[in-house]
């Protein structure tokens, strides 16, 4: 749109071109305002020559590389040169990129912001390097882990996703999983969202398998939370954003697919576990419950780092086992987006049944009997309510219809 915006995270290099030789003077990365500062010293008389400023679309964590399929080519350009300067400061002013460098800087901008946000939120900073290849016209944007032949992990950004901040951060989310959790190379060939036997893909709301539901659902949520922060903090806001709060139908058949095998539903689950409690958040009409949890972003990240789940089922089982005090809230939140089969056993009978108003076996003029008891534990959902039957003879089994809800006093 012909607007000018600062670029965060690129590296500026300053050198002195003295004719027969070049003297490196220093380098620095740009801050969120696009500024950089380089301190350097030159001996007396060495101010003869040209100060050359070059800019690299990269830093010590990630670099945007030109995807020419032949050799590694950095996006680096000569920004400005100076033949006159004083002994104290050189002010280069505003530097403007042109051509493909603009797209490379846009990808750097969103990735650098995502990295810093992640570091500030969670303390994670020990990422291995990653090369970001752009543009690629073959296939979809994707992530490839490092291997013996290529010791640096790679992110490939499709040319149509040049300005899609959510795509850049999504692929960087794969890099986080590979570093801190448990990476499994996915196999997308299952006839959903596949363009052919050699061109297999995946869709947000269509099932793949349990491992893909996790390995793609996590980066969807990761990117959506990150881009929300960018939108709130930076102007202009990112051009694209992912919304994964509610559950939708698979575009291939118009059905809501199995939550345990669908990436978008796992992303919706993580979103609800992370964000503020909202009892009215009805992700699937007719499904019990609402958004009952508010763990926050860093808690979810640290949990996945610690337990390394690879499927939604593993994540939920580990979460309900570890966060025992929040088990019922996790169950309600998961049920709200379509996860079934989490509550496997009925609750046991109540314990410590007693009456603070009457003594068993003794007559009383008080016709109102108050009963109290201890709430029984349950494996997932908790207690919805009770059926009550009072008799003057022997014990009578209550029916299975709720008469009172989740209380521990009856009168």
């Amino acid at each position: 749109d012909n607007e000018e915006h600062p670029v965060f995270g690129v590296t500026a290099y300053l050198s002195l071109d003295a004719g027969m030789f070049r003297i490196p003077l220093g380098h620095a990365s740009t801050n969120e305002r696009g500024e950089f500062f380089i301190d350097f010293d030159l001996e007396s008389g060495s101010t003869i020559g040209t100060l050359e400023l070059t800019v690299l679309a990269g830093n010590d964590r990630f670099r945007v590389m030109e995807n020419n399929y032949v050799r590694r080519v950095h996006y680096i350009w000569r920004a400005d040169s100076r033949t006159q300067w004083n002994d104290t400061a050189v002010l280069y002013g505003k530097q403007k990129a042109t051509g493909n460098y603009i797209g490379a800087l846009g990808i750097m901008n969103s990735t650098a912001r995502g990295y810093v946000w992640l570091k500030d939120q969670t303390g994670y900073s020990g990422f291995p390097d990653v090369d970001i290849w752009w543009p690629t016209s073959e296939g979809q944007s994707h992530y490839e882990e490092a291997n013996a032949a290529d010791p640096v992990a790679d992110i490939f950004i499709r040319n149509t996703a040049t300005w899609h901040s959510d795509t850049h951060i999504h692929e960087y989310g794969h890099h986080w999983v590979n570093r801190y959790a448990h990476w499994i190379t996915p196999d997308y060939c299952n006839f959903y969202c596949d363009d052919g036997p050699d061109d297999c893909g995946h869709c947000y709301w269509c099932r793949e398998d349990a491992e893909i539901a996790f390995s793609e659902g996590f980066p969807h949520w990761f990117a959506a939370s990150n881009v929300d922060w960018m939108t709130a903090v930076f102007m202009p806001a990112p051009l694209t954003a992912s919304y994964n709060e509610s559950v939708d139908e698979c575009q291939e058949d118009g059905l809501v697919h199995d939550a345990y095998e669908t990436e978008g539903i796992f992303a919706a689950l993580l979103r609800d576990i992370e964000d503020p409690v909202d009892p009215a958040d009805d992700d699937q009409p007719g499904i019990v419950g609402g958004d009952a949890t508010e763990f926050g972003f860093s808690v979810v990240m640290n949990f996945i780092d610690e337990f390394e789940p690879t499927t939604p089922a593993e994540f939920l089982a580990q979460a309900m086992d570890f966060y025992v005090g929040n088990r019922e809230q996790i169950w309600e939140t998961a049920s709200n987006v379509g996860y079934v089969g989490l509550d496997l056993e009925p609750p046991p009978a109540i314990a410590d049944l007693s009456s603070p108003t009457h003594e068993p076996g003794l007559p009383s003029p008080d016709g109102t009997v108050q009963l109290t008891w201890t709430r029984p534990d349950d494996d997932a959902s908790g207690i919805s309510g009770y059926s009550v039957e009072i008799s003057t003879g022997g014990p009578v089994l209550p029916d299975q219809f709720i008469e009172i809800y989740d209380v521990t006093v009856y009168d």
Side-chain angles (χ1 to χ4, degrees):
D1 295 331
N2 294 319
E3 296 182 9
E4 297 179 358
H5 305 291
V7 178
F8 181 32
V10 300
T11 305
Y13 292 86
L14 190 65
S15 62
L16 177 66
D17 184 353
M20 298 293 294
F21 52 89
R22 183 183 296 271
I23 304 172
L25 300 178
H27 64 277
S29 293
T30 56
N31 61 23
E32 294 180 3
R33 296 183 298 277
E35 302 168 338
F36 66 92
F37 304 90
I38 300 174
D39 294 325
F40 64 94
D41 293 316
L42 288 174
E43 296 179 0
S44 177
S46 61
T47 57
I48 299 174
T50 302
L51 281 180
E52 299 284 358
L53 178 67
T54 54
V55 178
L56 169 70
N59 52 46
D60 61 350
R61 293 298 179 191
F62 37 84
R63 296 149 298 279
V64 181
M65 311 286 289
E66 184 178 352
N67 192 22
N68 66 1
Y69 303 97
V70 178
R71 59 192 177 91
R72 303 169 72 88
V73 179
H74 293 271
Y75 282 99
I76 184 168
W77 82 97
R78 182 173 295 177
D80 201 353
S81 60
R82 296 292 174 87
T83 57
Q84 300 289 330
W85 69 92
N86 59 37
D87 293 335
T88 58
V90 181
L91 300 177
Y92 270 91
K94 188 181 299 182
Q95 303 295 309
K96 296 176 64 174
T98 59
N100 270 4
Y101 294 112
I102 298 174
L105 294 183
I107 294 170
M108 274 297 304
N109 212 26
S110 56
T111 308
R113 288 173 174 175
Y115 172 81
V116 169
W117 170 79
L118 177 61
K119 182 179 178 181
D120 290 345
Q121 288 283 318
T122 65
Y124 291 107
S125 60
F127 283 92
D129 290 0
V130 62
D131 288 334
I132 305 172
W133 298 88
W134 171 84
T136 177
S137 58
E138 296 182 3
Q140 300 297 317
S141 300
H142 64 281
Y143 172 80
E144 294 182 5
E145 62 181 320
N147 53 58
D150 184 3
V152 178
D154 299 305
I155 291 172
F156 294 85
I157 300 298
R158 188 176 172 84
N159 51 4
T160 55
T162 302
W163 300 105
H164 294 184
S165 295
D166 54 344
T167 298
H168 310 158
I169 303 304
H170 174 100
E171 301 306 333
Y172 202 65
H174 285 305
H175 191 50
W176 184 92
V177 171
N178 190 23
R179 168 62 178 84
Y180 287 104
H182 186 72
W183 173 256
I184 295 175
T185 302
D187 178 6
Y188 298 114
C189 296
N190 73 336
F191 305 109
Y192 281 103
C193 306
D194 298 338
D195 293 329
D198 298 321
D199 187 12
C200 298
H202 60 102
C203 298
Y204 206 87
W205 299 114
C206 301
R207 67 171 180 83
E208 291 288 333
D209 62 32
E211 291 176 346
I212 292 176
F214 181 91
S215 66
E216 291 292 345
F218 171 86
H220 285 315
W221 162 75
F222 179 88
S225 296
N226 192 312
V227 171
D228 279 354
W229 169 78
M230 289 189 197
T231 301
V233 172
F234 296 103
M235 290 295 294
L239 296 179
T240 58
S242 297
Y243 178 79
N244 52 18
E245 187 77 17
S246 299
V247 174
D248 208 344
E249 300 168 346
C250 172
Q251 64 269 36
E252 299 273 300
D253 56 18
L255 301 175
V256 175
H257 281 200
D258 182 355
Y260 291 97
E261 296 185 339
T262 304
E263 61 194 66
I265 298 179
F266 185 60
L269 170 68
L270 293 178
R271 183 68 137 182
D272 280 348
I273 286 179
E274 169 212 354
D275 65 7
V277 170
D278 183 5
D281 179 14
D282 189 13
D283 288 331
Q284 288 202 68
I287 301 297
V288 66
D291 179 355
T293 53
E294 187 178 357
F295 281 16
F297 179 83
S298 62
V299 171
V300 177
M301 295 290 289
N302 290 329
F303 179 85
I304 292 174
D305 177 10
E306 176 71 20
F307 291 94
E308 299 187 357
T310 60
T311 67
E314 285 184 5
F315 172 82
L316 284 167
Q318 292 165 346
M320 289 194 294
D321 185 58
F322 185 75
Y323 295 107
V324 176
N326 301 102
R327 179 182 295 166
E328 296 175 18
Q329 290 79 19
I330 295 172
W331 173 87
E332 181 178 345
T333 302
S335 297
N336 187 43
V337 294
Y339 287 94
V340 298
L342 296 172
D343 193 330
L344 301 177
E345 300 291 338
I350 61 174
D352 305 321
L353 178 63
S354 63
S355 173
T357 59
H358 293 72
E359 287 287 337
L362 297 179
S364 171
D366 185 354
T368 302
V369 179
Q370 186 180 79
L371 301 173
T372 64
W373 58 89
T374 300
R375 185 179 189 266
D377 291 329
D378 184 55
D379 64 332
S381 68
I383 305 301
S384 177
Y386 303 89
S387 176
V388 179
E389 186 73 34
I390 297 177
S391 67
T392 57
V396 177
L397 189 67
D399 59 33
Q400 297 185 15
F401 298 98
I402 292 178
E403 297 176 43
I404 58 174
Y405 288 91
D406 186 12
V407 296
T408 56
V409 176
Y410 175 81
D411 53 25

